[in-house]
């Protein structure tokens, strides 16, 4: 799993489709075993870098699992998806953004302010 995270975090390598695909394969088993960081990273990868609706649904579910387990980045991503994405539900967006902001996510605080201002 560490190798997959290193690949994704590498500025040069982490931007290429082939490396993302390899890292995704490396994260799949730990994510299925309930490793929260793997669920969060694979969920983000599937939601943002896949063309398939099925993959995006799986990614969304992985993000939801990681967010419920307390992963701040997954909470922020889920809040973003509920705010901007095809799953637009502002009540759920607010919930997840509040969770991420409570853990110190500056991005979540900013988006939460925008959400509150639009209501």
């Amino acid at each position: 799993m560490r190798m997959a995270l290193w690949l994704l975090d590498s500025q040069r390598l982490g931007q290429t489709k082939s490396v993302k695909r390899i890292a995704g394969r490396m994260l799949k088993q730990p994510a299925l075993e309930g490793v929260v960081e793997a669920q969060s990273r694979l969920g983000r990868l599937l939601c943002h870098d896949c063309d398939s609706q099925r993959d995006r649904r799986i990614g969304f579910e992985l993000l939801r699992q990681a967010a419920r387990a307390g992963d701040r980045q997954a909470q922020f991503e889920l809040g973003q998806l509920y705010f901007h994405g095809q799953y637009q539900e502002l009540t759920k967006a607010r919930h997840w953004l509040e969770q991420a902001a409570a853990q110190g996510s500056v991005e979540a605080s900013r988006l939460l302010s925008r959400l509150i201002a639009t209501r």
Side-chain angles (χ1 to χ4, degrees):
M1 186 174 112
R2 296 224 182 275
M3 177 63 87
L5 298 178
W6 179 81
L7 286 169
L8 291 173
D9 291 339
S10 169
Q11 280 187 327
R12 198 180 92 238
L13 294 173
Q15 303 306 311
T16 63
K17 278 191 171 205
S18 60
V19 169
K20 288 179 182 181
R21 193 173 306 117
I22 291 166
R25 281 192 216 119
M26 295 169 96
L27 290 171
K28 185 177 180 180
Q29 190 59 42
L32 290 173
E33 293 171 358
V35 176
V36 174
E37 188 174 13
Q39 291 172 333
S40 180
R41 293 301 292 267
L42 183 56
R44 284 184 276 163
L45 198 60
L46 291 172
C47 282
H48 296 293
D49 294 303
C50 289
D51 298 327
S52 154
Q53 274 298 103
R54 179 181 174 274
D55 285 347
R56 282 197 294 270
R57 272 195 314 274
I58 292 168
F60 189 80
E61 184 54 37
L62 287 170
L63 280 177
R64 190 180 355 229
Q65 290 172 16
R68 286 181 180 150
D71 185 272
R72 179 178 75 182
Q73 189 62 39
Q75 291 168 342
F76 171 66
E77 292 289 335
L78 203 51
Q80 244 186 340
L81 288 169
Y82 277 125
F83 185 56
H84 295 297
Q86 70 185 49
Y87 306 100
Q88 195 168 39
E89 292 185 49
L90 297 182
T91 304
K92 289 182 180 182
R94 183 175 185 157
H95 169 78
W96 289 115
L97 292 171
E98 285 174 346
Q99 297 293 311
Q103 291 194 62
S105 171
V106 176
E107 300 101 339
S109 295
R110 284 190 198 121
L111 192 53
L112 188 56
S113 295
R114 284 184 41 210
L115 184 136
I116 292 169
T118 61
R119 290 189 133 195

